[in-house]
Amino acid sequence: MGKEGSPSRPRGNTMALEKQSLSDVPIAALATAPGPAGVCVVRLSGEGALELGDRLVPSARGKPSQREGGTFFHAAVAHPLTGERIDDAVILVYRRPHSYTGEDTVEFQGHGGSVPARRLLAAVLAAGARLAEPGEFTKRAFLNGRLDLTQAEAVCDFIQSKTDRAAHVARAQLDGALGQQVGQLYERVTELCAEVEHLLDFDEGELPDTFLSRAADRLAVLVGEVEQLADTWNEGHLLRDGALVVISGRPNAGKSSLLNALLGRNRAIVHAVPGTTRDAIEEGYALNGVPVRLVDTAGLRETGDAVEQEGILRARELIRQADLNLHLVDHSAPWDDVAAGEIDALPARRVLVGLTKCDLPAGGGCRIPAGVMQVRLSVKTGEGLAALKAAMSAALGVESE
């Protein structure tokens, strides 16, 4: 949990108005993924949630509103309107503020499966709850001071993390690491501002000669720490959203072979006939714990085939969108102006050139523009694959784990 008064929290009247906007009707939603499973969880939260839970377990001796927070019991769940027995469930009781949302909360843990979960949720809604909006439980936790804004965002990041590294970073943020860091910076800036503002109460001659210089030094340190924190945005963005890495190049440059080598399986068809890949092939890939959308594209060339032309148009559009263009050049093929033009047309700051088939004799000098990273590799022998991964990490600004 972040500090009270953290800049990421609403304060004063803003917080009060937001709390007033919360409906008096409890909200409910399925807290587990739909589909076949051993257990499903339906969560009910808000003002009157405990009393509403009483209507769902009429035969229970001790109903939710009569139980202490942090307790659970087993009971039959009945539909509040028809009396039909819906399921047997374990019911957990949380009393405010000791719940995820900071409100009275009841959780029904019934049997999993699409139909049992749907029937259990329908019974809860029939008892008087309304279906929660997406993210509304976390919104209430934020408005009730259970989470700060950075932690609320981290909940979604943690749930949607695609790699262990992304999950680790989201978990640290959920524990308040980022919120505490921002809160400490805010407090130090506020303290410095207060000291500078205090100058208004004194004449210039009453102040120590070194006051302004020391204040300037402290401000410079704070600016440096803020810039250092801002520099971590790119890595956080990549961990959250993933990076689009497009493998491009002329036909038979080894694009599909490289995709298969990186994935460790034969995902794309590899054939000596030029133009075998006509549409983009996308696969998920983890690079130093960062999720990557790795896309193999149609070979770039002039062609009269309408289907292949469409594939090339899609390839060029993906190249424009890419966080990194992994452009392959056949080291064993003759070098010409067309090959040079393809590289010149790429955005230089987002290009990594792979000189492929380096196990074969060179076909001619490859004139790679200055400042463009390049790696020699051979998918057949495995030469350069480790160096390629390291270069990709460097190009994306991703540090090794």
Side-chain angles (χ1 to χ4, degrees):
M1 169 144 344
K3 295 184 175 182
E4 290 296 332
S6 167
S8 57
R9 294 180 185 272
R11 299 192 207 153
N13 293 335
T14 302
M15 176 69 86
L17 290 173
E18 289 286 356
K19 284 187 175 181
Q20 288 176 7
S21 69
L22 295 178
S23 171
D24 291 335
V25 178
I27 59 173
L30 184 64
T32 48
V39 176
C40 76
V41 176
V42 173
R43 180 180 293 165
L44 171 66
S45 180
E47 186 70 30
L50 301 181
E51 290 73 19
L52 190 151
D54 292 349
R55 299 185 59 195
L56 294 157
V57 287
S59 61
R61 293 182 179 179
K63 294 181 171 51
S65 64
Q66 302 167 352
R67 293 181 177 267
E68 294 183 1
T71 61
F72 63 92
F73 63 100
H74 177 268
V77 179
H79 195 285
L81 302 182
T82 66
E84 177 190 3
R85 182 168 176 165
I86 299 297
D87 199 356
D88 292 312
V90 174
I91 295 100
L92 287 74
V93 178
Y94 301 89
R95 290 187 177 271
R96 60 186 177 190
H98 306 294
S99 70
Y100 177 73
T101 60
E103 304 169 328
D104 288 340
T105 300
V106 183
E107 284 190 1
F108 297 87
Q109 298 186 1
H111 292 87
S114 299
V115 174
R118 175 174 54 79
R119 283 163 53 87
L120 181 57
L121 178 59
V124 173
L125 296 178
R130 68 169 175 82
L131 188 64
E133 299 174 357
E136 189 169 0
F137 283 94
T138 298
K139 177 183 177 182
R140 290 185 174 215
F142 167 63
L143 293 175
N144 289 321
R146 297 292 291 172
L147 301 172
D148 67 23
L149 186 56
T150 63
Q151 291 171 308
E153 292 175 343
V155 172
C156 182
D157 292 344
F158 188 61
I159 293 171
Q160 297 182 352
S161 56
K162 300 180 179 65
T163 65
D164 288 340
R165 183 173 183 175
H168 174 76
V169 172
R171 180 66 255 183
Q173 186 170 325
L174 189 55
D175 289 338
L178 178 59
Q180 291 175 9
Q181 189 174 1
V182 172
Q184 290 170 2
L185 285 170
Y186 180 83
E187 289 176 1
R188 289 163 60 194
V189 170
T190 301
E191 180 182 352
L192 181 57
C193 289
E195 292 181 13
V196 173
E197 188 174 346
H198 193 55
L199 293 175
L200 299 175
D201 297 330
F202 295 89
D203 294 331
E204 291 186 12
E206 297 177 321
L207 295 172
D209 294 337
T210 59
F211 180 85
L212 290 178
S213 61
R214 284 189 286 111
D217 291 341
R218 290 167 59 191
L219 181 59
V221 170
L222 285 168
V223 169
E225 292 182 22
V226 171
E227 290 177 344
Q228 186 177 7
L229 182 60
D231 287 341
T232 66
W233 178 88
N234 181 65
E235 185 169 352
H237 157 67
L238 292 177
L239 287 170
R240 179 186 299 110
D241 303 322
L244 175 60
V245 176
V246 175
I247 305 175
S248 63
R250 304 182 75 183
N252 286 352
K255 301 183 296 300
S256 297
S257 296
L258 179 60
L259 175 71
N260 292 341
L262 291 173
L263 295 177
R265 58 190 175 90
N266 292 327
R267 172 63 179 87
I269 297 174
V270 177
H271 200 280
V273 175
T276 301
T277 301
R278 296 192 170 197
D279 200 358
I281 299 175
E282 179 175 326
E283 283 291 328
Y285 178 69
L287 178 67
N288 282 337
V290 173
V292 169
R293 295 167 52 204
L294 199 58
V295 185
D296 179 21
T297 58
L300 303 175
R301 67 169 179 174
E302 296 294 331
T303 177
D305 188 312
V307 176
E308 189 176 355
Q309 285 178 356
E310 178 61 27
I312 293 171
L313 287 175
R314 294 186 181 187
R316 295 193 184 282
E317 179 59 30
L318 284 166
I319 288 170
R320 284 191 288 272
Q321 298 174 7
D323 295 296
L324 176 63
N325 289 292
L326 185 50
H327 190 79
L328 304 188
V329 175
D330 186 348
H331 177 71
S332 66
W335 185 255
D336 56 29
D337 292 337
V338 176
E342 290 290 354
I343 296 178
D344 291 338
L346 298 172
R349 289 180 298 175
R350 295 186 285 112
V351 175
L352 170 60
V353 172
L355 301 177
T356 61
K357 306 181 184 179
C358 286
D359 55 304
L360 301 177
C366 299
R367 299 186 299 277
I368 308 301
V372 175
M373 292 187 294
Q374 55 181 293
V375 177
R376 292 169 53 89
L377 63 138
S378 168
V379 172
K380 184 176 181 180
T381 65
E383 175 190 351
L385 287 179
L388 176 68
K389 295 175 185 178
M392 290 168 62
S393 296
L396 291 170
V398 176
E399 296 181 1
S400 299
E401 291 185 275

